[in-house]
Amino acid sequence: MPQRATFLELFFDLAFVVALTQLSQGLADDLSWRGAFQTLVLLLAMWWVWSITAAVTDRYDPQRPAIQLLVLATLGGSLVMAAAAPQAFGKRGLIFAGAYVAIQIGRGFFLLLALRGRELKRRIGRSLFWFGVSAVPWIAGAIAHGTARGVLWALAVAVDYAGFALGWPTPGLGRSPRSEWQVVPEHLAERYRQFFIIALGELILVTALTLGRSDFAADQTAAFVVSIATTVLIWRIYIYRAGEVLAAAIEASPDPLRLTLSATYAHMVMVAGIVVTSVGDKFVITHPLGHTPPGWIAVILGGPALFLAGRAHFEYAVFGRVSRDRPIGLLVLAAMAPVMLLVPPLMAALAATAVLTAVAVADTTRARRRPSAPPSPPGGPS
């Protein structure tokens, strides 16, 4: 099995630049609790397509023609989902849900035909069972309308995630043994890093396109600079140091599966933070001065807060501890929210950037004291 990610896998990730851009645009168009819920459901679905595909290329050799064909087919299906996402809770619900179900179930049947081995077929059979169960609320939700669609799709997402977390217990096949969940640490760690960079690419794309549609006024240009600084800080905080040593942490962990699951969920939260941050950047660059609605404060401060929360969870998974600057940053962002209602959007964005700057500086200071602290996942030797 190759230890490094392939160019095909990076090519596959490009579909998710489109997907994340569509999701951020949808949230910007409907900045409400309903819009946030719908965006979350769609993001969870898109993330699960990527995560299961990453697990497949980690488990099976991505250089094999059959696996390459599967990845390319999943790329096409993911683009269909991305194209349908803005109207997924409207007239294109069946397209979105149909593409999702086709990807997840089609993958299983394809692997059954392309690969051999009794245990392998049992493993694929378990996942097929669970994706078949979740297909019912996915398709039923696509046929339903309004609140019913949201409830059914939330149930479908819950089934997908719960089945995986429980080891896909299946009638007649039982639960997947832990021996089936072995991973290639370097490959999987690189895949997470690649997707995180792809997510940052969406943030940069939205920022640049928003500036391009502006008048390039001084205040709009200043908002653009603040947005780019935020992007750089998010990258810096992510990569140092947990993002660099994830592979070593998986190798050192007494429970690699648990750490891998923690990393999966942590990255999902961080990516959600990036999507929300891109919405805030869009508002700030378009209208940097004037009144700041509460919804704008929620995304301007909430995006960095979500990222820090996911990053704190990621740090705990890798090092078995959380640096104090992470929760402090979260508390400061929460405490600033009422005050930020009284200042222009640009000042609120600048305040969020200042919090991220303080976290990055704290990371650098800590790194000088402990320049090569080894990973120490929970349950391992301290």
Side-chain angles (χ1 to χ4, degrees), residues 48-229:
W48 210 230
V49 168
W50 182 89
S51 296
I52 299 300
T53 304
V56 167
T57 55
D58 188 74
R59 181 73 183 183
Y60 310 108
D61 187 356
Q63 301 291 353
R64 296 180 61 173
I67 301 303
Q68 292 179 343
L69 178 61
L70 177 61
V71 172
L72 290 173
T74 306
L75 167 65
S78 301
L79 286 173
V80 172
M81 291 177 64
Q87 292 294 324
F89 280 87
K91 62 182 180 180
R92 292 177 178 166
L94 192 57
I95 296 175
F96 182 90
Y100 178 86
V101 170
I103 288 172
Q104 305 291 34
I105 293 182
R107 178 197 299 114
F109 281 114
F110 180 86
L111 290 174
L112 282 176
L113 294 173
L115 305 176
R116 296 183 180 182
R118 180 179 177 183
E119 289 304 316
L120 183 147
K121 293 183 184 298
R122 290 170 65 87
R123 177 169 63 248
I124 296 172
R126 294 185 188 98
S127 65
L128 267 176
F129 172 81
W130 277 87
F131 283 127
V133 171
S134 73
V136 176
W138 272 117
I139 299 304
I143 297 173
H145 298 281
T147 303
R149 178 175 297 180
V151 172
L152 287 167
W153 280 6
L155 173 62
V157 167
V159 170
D160 284 333
Y161 279 75
F164 183 81
L166 294 173
W168 284 324
T170 303
L173 297 176
R175 188 192 304 264
S176 295
R178 299 189 76 82
S179 59
E180 289 186 356
W181 298 80
Q182 296 178 355
V183 299
V184 182
E186 183 58 37
H187 174 265
L188 201 61
E190 187 172 1
R191 293 297 289 125
Y192 283 125
R193 289 194 294 265
Q194 287 177 344
F195 191 89
F196 190 82
I197 293 299
I198 286 292
L200 287 180
E202 181 271 336
L203 181 55
I204 291 173
L205 177 64
V206 169
T207 300
L209 289 178
T210 304
L211 179 66
R213 299 188 187 103
S214 73
D215 298 326
F216 281 82
D219 54 350
Q220 293 172 323
T221 303
F224 171 76
V225 172
V226 171
S227 299
I228 293 299

Side-chain angles (χ1 to χ4, degrees), residues 10 25 27 30 36 38 70 76 92 104 116 146 158 176-177 191 218 224 253-254 273 289 303 316 350:
L10 185 58
Q25 183 60 51
L27 181 57
D30 185 8
Q38 293 177 353
L70 177 61
R92 292 177 178 166
Q104 305 291 34
R116 296 183 180 182
S176 295
R191 293 297 289 125
F224 171 76
S253 175
L289 303 178
Y316 180 77
L350 190 59

Side-chain angles (χ1 to χ4, degrees), residues 349-364:
L350 190 59
T353 304
V355 172
L356 292 177
T357 300
V359 172
V361 170
D363 284 350
T364 301

